[in-house]
Amino acid sequence: MTRVFITIDWFLPGTNSGGPVRSVANLIAAMPECQFYVFTRNTDYCATEAYEGITPNTWVKFSEHCEVYYCSEQNLSKATLAAQLQAIAPDVLYINGIYSKAFSRWPVSIGKALKLKTVVAARGMLSPHALAVKPLKKYIFLSFMRWINRYSKVIFHATSASEVQDIQLILGKWVQVRNIPNLAREKSSIVKEIVKEAGKSKLVYIGRIAPEKGTLLALSALKEQKGSIELDLYGTCYNEAYWNECLKVISELPASIQVNYHGSCASHEVAHHLASAHALLLPSEGENFGHSIVEAFANGRPVLISKNTPWKNLAAQKAGWDVTPTDLPLAITELAAMDQARYDEWCGGAAAYYEKQILVPFAEHQDAYLKLFSVSTS
């Protein structure tokens, strides 16, 4: 059995950091052929309190084929990581992210020293919209990494064709890149029916309250709506100034538009919140995958998203709308106007889209991950 050592800043039961946690958890669940060892923090993103009921600084059984080392801040050092890598002696080192000193930069260095097969999942961190945040600092760091040839013999994992281009544009055409999509969580066995009246709709937003997720854009698109619309917001918020902008827009919405903010959403609650709404509203600046989007499809719910995701031409397949910011209000209006019969067609379209895009190629993607982690295949 292939032994895969994973480094990631945050992991379950944490949920505040978003997609990468879900990507890694889904990968582990879908790959019983591998034994996984996850090295991570014992706190969630932007939290100081340790996870309750979890013993830190030792290997804890997570599932039948996965153990997790929840490292405390006091014990987090390059020596600790190196010692655990040497003790586990994995076949493959799978690093999530680019910039983190403890969970990205140290692992690359140690992996080279131990001559481990090393795979780095960029997790969208080299995309144009991600690089636009603190660009100078990132440019200097990435230029230095290229100059010292740090990524020689390292394989990069991209989850879309556009991410392959992003990685090679920034790090060089010579960088090895494997394009394998993220794996989705197991699909709900039953698509729950929901009442839909013409002129009314209930939307749900599941993602960080942040510019890159398009929270303000989503709220602004509700301003001119004539129908009765309810929007439930789920997500962590770390930018008080941005949230105040959101609150200002919410205060200006007509009486027929109701917005409820519920704070963060636990991973196991996502399917329930999606099934309780008519559509997911998430016009983010960019997504390599978008787990809440995929889970919406899995639950037979259409989505209202931007054009900057892998999920394209949705309206033609009655699975949702991938639109520009200008066209988002029109898409929301179209959804609100639907009666039960037309809306049910779109629920079926969303489920069919999931079948075609996720379920059919699932085994093929599993095989691709097995090859990525194989010690005999570079």
Side-chain angles (χ1 to χ4, degrees):
M1 181 177 282
T2 302
R3 296 157 68 85
V4 182
F5 193 107
I6 297 175
T7 61
I8 184 169
D9 274 274
W10 302 280
F11 189 61
L12 296 176
T15 56
N16 290 350
S17 60
V21 172
R22 191 71 257 161
S23 298
V24 171
N26 290 356
L27 171 64
I28 292 169
M31 302 290 290
E33 302 90 343
C34 298
Q35 178 66 36
F36 292 97
Y37 300 87
V38 180
F39 186 88
T40 189
R41 300 179 190 274
N42 74 327
T43 55
D44 202 355
Y45 176 60
C46 283
T48 55
E49 292 186 8
Y51 295 127
E52 188 176 348
I54 293 177
T55 305
N57 308 320
T58 188
W59 288 101
V60 177
K61 190 175 181 64
F62 179 78
S63 67
E64 284 302 312
H65 59 287
C66 177
E67 295 181 33
V68 182
Y69 190 100
Y70 293 96
C71 192
S72 67
E73 190 65 29
Q74 296 82 358
N75 196 43
L76 186 57
S77 68
K78 193 172 183 180
T80 298
L81 176 57
Q84 296 307 318
L85 271 165
Q86 288 176 310
I88 297 299
D91 299 300
V92 181
L93 172 57
Y94 185 61
I95 300 166
N96 287 266
I98 302 291
Y99 307 110
S100 170
K101 180 171 70 173
F103 296 90
S104 302
R105 289 146 55 189
W106 288 349
V108 171
S109 176
I110 297 168
K112 274 182 170 288
L114 297 178
K115 297 182 179 178
L116 294 173
K117 178 176 181 178
T118 300
V119 180
V120 175
R123 299 297 176 205
M125 294 182 184
L126 298 179
S127 68
H129 77 268
L131 291 172
V133 180
K134 299 179 181 177
L136 181 59
K137 186 176 179 180
K138 291 177 180 177
Y139 173 79
I140 292 171
F141 169 75
L142 293 167
S143 297
F144 176 73
M145 296 296 272
R146 286 186 64 170
W147 181 63
I148 64 173
N149 205 21
R150 177 61 82 197
Y151 295 125
S152 65
K153 298 184 180 178
V154 169
I155 300 170
F156 273 82
H157 170 213
T159 58
S160 66
S162 61
E163 189 173 26
V164 173
Q165 295 176 345
D166 293 339
I167 292 169
Q168 292 187 329
L169 178 65
I170 299 301
L171 297 178
K173 292 289 186 182
W174 56 268
V175 173
Q176 296 184 71
V177 186
R178 301 287 185 274
N179 179 13
I180 313 172
N182 282 316
L183 298 173
R185 187 157 28 185
E186 185 179 357
K187 180 184 182 294
S188 303
S189 57
I190 299 173
V191 174
K192 295 181 180 178
E193 295 183 358
I194 184 172
V195 173
K196 177 69 177 71
E197 297 178 41
K200 294 183 178 182
S201 63
K202 182 176 181 181
L203 307 176
V204 63
Y205 170 108
I206 301 176
R208 289 189 309 279
I209 308 300
E212 63 271 18
K213 293 297 180 182
T215 320
L216 196 57
L217 175 62
L219 293 169
S220 298
L222 299 176
K223 281 185 175 181
E224 305 304 321
Q225 299 300 317
K226 304 300 182 185
S228 175
I229 297 174
E230 182 179 354
L231 171 63
D232 286 327
L233 291 171
Y234 293 93
T236 49
C237 180
Y238 306 109
N239 187 332
E240 186 177 353
Y242 184 76
W243 178 235
N244 285 334
E245 289 184 62
C246 293
L247 288 174
K248 184 176 185 297
V249 172
I250 291 172
S251 70
E252 296 168 350
L253 293 174
S256 59
I257 311 296
Q258 181 182 347
V259 178
N260 311 300
Y261 176 55
H262 302 278
S264 61
C265 170
S267 180
H268 65 272
E269 298 173 340
V270 171
H272 169 74
H273 295 317
L274 287 167
S276 301
H278 294 115
L280 172 74
L281 175 61
L282 192 68
S284 48
E285 290 182 356
E287 299 283 352
N288 278 335
F289 190 71
H291 287 279
S292 58
I293 297 171
V294 173
E295 289 207 35
F297 294 139
N299 283 276
R301 293 294 182 262
V303 300
L304 295 143
I305 59 176
S306 75
K307 288 191 169 294
N308 305 317
T309 81
W311 318 116
K312 306 291 187 183
N313 304 314
L314 298 181
Q317 300 167 78
K318 296 183 178 179
W321 297 262
D322 51 303
V323 293
T324 64
T326 303
D327 291 334
L328 181 59
L330 296 174
I332 295 173
T333 299
E334 184 177 355
L335 171 68
M338 289 181 178
D339 60 13
Q340 187 74 58
R342 186 151 183 258
Y343 173 72
D344 287 345
E345 279 187 60
W346 284 65
C347 288
Y353 188 84
Y354 179 86
E355 179 87 20
K356 181 175 72 173
Q357 297 292 335
I358 303 297
L359 292 187
V360 171
F362 194 82
E364 177 187 337
H365 296 158
Q366 282 179 308
D367 288 343
Y369 276 105
L370 282 175
K371 290 177 182 177
L372 179 67
F373 295 147
S374 170
V375 289
S376 61
T377 305
S378 61

